[in-house]
Amino acid sequence: MMTIEELHTNPAYQDALVDLLYQLADDDFIVAYRGSEWLGLAPHIEEDVAFSSISQDTMGHATMLYELLESIGEGDANALAHARKADERKNAILLEMVNGSGTYLQEPKYDWAFAVVRHYCYTLAKTIKMKSLQQSSFEPLAQLAVKINMELHYHLLHWKTWFTQLMKIPGESQERMVAAWDRVMKDMKGVLALGSYEEDLVKYNVMTNETQLMHSWMQEMQSLISNYHLPIEVRLKMNSGNGRLGEHSKDLEDALNTLSSVYRIDPTAAW
Amino acid sequence: MANMVSFDRLSEEEKHARFMERIAAGEKIEADDWMPEEYRVALIKLISMHGISEIMGALPEKEWVPKAPTLRRKLGIMAKVQDEMGHGQLLLRVAEDLMKPYGKNREDIMQDLFSGDLKFHNVFHMPAPTWGDAGLIGWLVDGAAIITQTNMLHASYGPYARALQRICAEEVFHAQHGEAIIMALTEGTQEQRAMVQDAFNRWWESLLMFFGPAQASTTGSSKQDVTIKYNIRTKTNEELRQDFFSKYIPRALSIGLQLPDSTMHFDEESKMWVYQQPDWNKFKQIIKNNGPKSKERLRLRQLSYHNNEWVREALSPMNKVV
Ligand SMILES: [Fe+2]
Ligand SMILES: [Fe+2]
């Protein structure tokens, strides 16, 4: 088991761990933002309440992860969340993509099918990662993963219900869902990717490898598809680039500008 | 059962008299109980307006959810806005039950909102251009809401009174959340302090309007008489506004804010705050959806209603085969 105090004894371990923590934190931070943009725009009020609760949990996970980074010497958690530039971010590109045309304040033409598919696919991936991380050699992360997984259980159930329901209803619903699925598949591989430190992450038992993650994800999805006879196929791709390596779209830059707009007024002030 | 039959035999006047006796005795009226038409209509109007205001009220704050300056503030405002949507949901369900005899439902509430027949609270038609506004809304708009809502905690209509119990408990957290933002700003840099004063000036008139005009004659209509008659609320608009002043004016002064109304003072003789009236014609315009942000916010809701049409279609009972 590795603790925060002992980290400095193994710089290679620390580098790999830090990279992974950024991936996890940045994923949750940006996807919680995309979720919060939906606020007041969901298909009905009950869903608005449920979805905003999920986004809030997810932002809470990001906060805990940034705080963990702070505790291992990466700097102030708020600065990590708000001040890092797009090319320093490690989130998957799929998660930064806009919800649709317009902005969350002006003429938002958001696609509920894309929201459901993206959030379901992501939540499933996150669940699998957190299960693996519960066995992590880095003790604080193993503990955090247990905590996160408890809330994740409800998120997964929520999105799975929407996903299977809308996928099964023939006509416009199914057409939109299949189109959203095809879009998500084009970059879903990037969510399951582990970046350039994968070898060390496995070597030091921080977490399982990428191949295993993808295998578990595909297996879960495959069984859902056959159980519910869904008209889709799993084809994981990474067409828009690898966010784990700092490759990002303009969507992320715009999002970060919004997310940090008040913070940037005075980063040294207490807010 | 025997009681029920005999109640049915009573004339309308006798039923009405029984009803008034019940509420005078502090009994709670439930959704399926007999109630005068006037009471039902007043409740539907009051509760659907309250419910839809909670929902429309999430929109000015929504703007600040992603922009909140720290992770903790982001979490705080996310929690608050989620609560507000929850209040909206709770209240619309109470209103829907009351509307059943008229064959109306949620769909009608939304259509009434879009057509302008169902109004939402004046404060939610206003812009919230800075983080100072986000704090001020929590501190004073929620603070004002607590004052009007605690006034109805013992409302004669049981389902509304119970919803308000829960809502008021959460509103207290909202006001604390807002106050914490305001405190941090007033203890901060000059720029941050200016943000608070600026927001305070901007919201002053809206806060005065929040409680409604003192007399029905000011705007031509007021539901305060009916709601007092039926024990839905106890205090008048002006009494509530005075309560608000007594609670918040000293606090505002103590954190160094300047009152936007320089003539305002407490009159020891009448024990009343003396202040300059807001422009009540402007108030009438605002709640007719002619406020600075009315159209834009309604547009947001309409757009989402339209964009999600296929989802509602998919979820309609006809498709419940899954
Ligand atoms: Fe509320
Ligand atoms: Fe509130």
Side-chain angles (χ1 to χ4, degrees), chain A residues 37 39-41 45-46 48-49 52-53 56 67 78 82 104 107-109 169 176 259 262 270-271, chain B residues 55 62-63 66-67 71-74 79 81-82 85 89 93 106 192 299 301 307-308 310 314:
Chain A
E37 283 190 306
L39 198 101
L41 304 172
I45 293 155
E46 283 72 8
D48 256 319
V49 177
S52 60
S53 161
Q56 193 192 318
E67 283 170 352
N78 282 315
H82 296 94
Y104 74 105
E107 296 298 300
K109 300 230 170 77
I169 294 165
R176 282 173 179 270
L259 282 156
V262 180
W271 291 94
Chain B
I55 288 161
K62 170 195 172 154
E63 189 170 346
K67 295 179 184 171
L71 289 161
R72 293 286 148 198
R73 293 279 183 244
K74 279 183 163 69
V81 182
Q82 185 202 335
M85 294 302 290
Q89 178 188 328
R93 286 185 180 170
R106 180 86 59 93
Q192 286 176 310
R299 170 87 183 138
R301 281 227 71 85
N307 287 337
N308 294 321
W310 68 273

Side-chain angles (χ1 to χ4, degrees), chain B residues 50 54 80 83-85 87-88 91 142 145 149 167 170-171 174:
Chain B
H50 183 179
E54 297 275 2
K80 177 182 192 288
D83 283 352
E84 305 299 11
M85 294 302 290
H87 297 170
L91 291 164
D142 286 66
Q149 288 166 18
I167 290 172
E170 291 183 348
E171 293 300 345
H174 299 174

Side-chain angles (χ1 to χ4, degrees), chain B residues 6 43 72 80 120 125 144 146 176 190 218 246 254 256 267 274 309 319:
Chain B
S6 61
L43 282 173
R72 293 286 148 198
K80 177 182 192 288
F120 59 101
H125 295 258
I146 291 172
Q176 284 168 357
Q190 201 159 2
T218 315
S246 295
S254 78
D267 183 62
V274 181
E309 212 165 340
N319 278 314

Side-chain angles (χ1 to χ4, degrees), chain A residues 29 32-33 36-46 48-50 52-53 55-56 59-60 62-63 66-67 77-78 81-82 103-113 162 164-166 168-170 172-173 176-177 228 258-263 265-266 269-271, chain B residues 52 55 58-59 61-75 78-83 85-89 92-93 96 106 110 131 180-181 184-185 188-189 191-192 195 293 296 299-301 303-305 307-308 310-315 319-322:
Chain A
F29 186 63
Y33 165 65
S36 73
E37 283 190 306
W38 267 99
L39 198 101
L41 304 172
H44 45 67
I45 293 155
E46 283 72 8
D48 256 319
V49 177
S52 60
S53 161
S55 302
Q56 193 192 318
M59 189 56 87
T63 301
Y66 285 128
E67 283 170 352
N78 282 315
H82 296 94
T103 73
Y104 74 105
L105 296 171
Q106 249 144 17
E107 296 298 300
K109 300 230 170 77
Y110 286 180
D111 178 8
W112 185 244
W162 272 110
T164 48
Q165 205 168 22
L166 294 180
K168 282 213 61 155
I169 294 165
E172 192 178 358
S173 178
R176 282 173 179 270
M177 288 296 286
Y228 288 86
T258 302
L259 282 156
S260 67
S261 62
V262 180
Y263 173 86
I265 294 174
D266 190 344
W271 291 94
Chain B
I52 212 71
I55 288 161
L59 296 177
E61 283 189 288
K62 170 195 172 154
E63 189 170 346
W64 294 101
V65 166
K67 295 179 184 171
T70 68
L71 289 161
R72 293 286 148 198
R73 293 279 183 244
K74 279 183 163 69
L75 290 172
M78 281 174 121
K80 177 182 192 288
V81 182
Q82 185 202 335
D83 283 352
M85 294 302 290
H87 297 170
Q89 178 188 328
L92 289 191
R93 286 185 180 170
E96 282 170 297
R106 180 86 59 93
M110 287 327 224
W131 176 243
I181 294 173
L185 293 176
T189 65
E191 194 180 3
Q192 286 176 310
M195 241 183 216
K293 288 280 179 179
E296 197 179 306
R299 170 87 183 138
L300 275 180
R301 281 227 71 85
L303 255 183
S304 86
Y305 196 77
N307 287 337
N308 294 321
W310 68 273
V311 186
R312 285 195 307 279
E313 197 111 307
L315 296 180
N319 278 314
K320 276 272 158 65
V321 285
V322 195

Side-chain angles (χ1 to χ4, degrees), chain B residues 10-50:
Chain B
L10 296 177
S11 70
E12 284 293 299
E13 291 85 68
E14 284 165 330
K15 282 179 182 169
H16 196 277
R18 282 274 181 95
F19 176 86
M20 293 309 283
E21 277 166 30
R22 284 185 68 193
I23 60 172
E27 256 182 72
K28 294 284 180 236
I29 307 302
E30 297 301 326
D32 296 329
D33 292 352
W34 185 92
M35 61 184 84
E37 185 87 3
E38 188 184 36
Y39 182 75
R40 185 183 293 278
V41 169
L43 282 173
I44 291 174
K45 206 173 161 191
L46 174 74
I47 300 169
S48 54
M49 182 195 159
H50 183 179

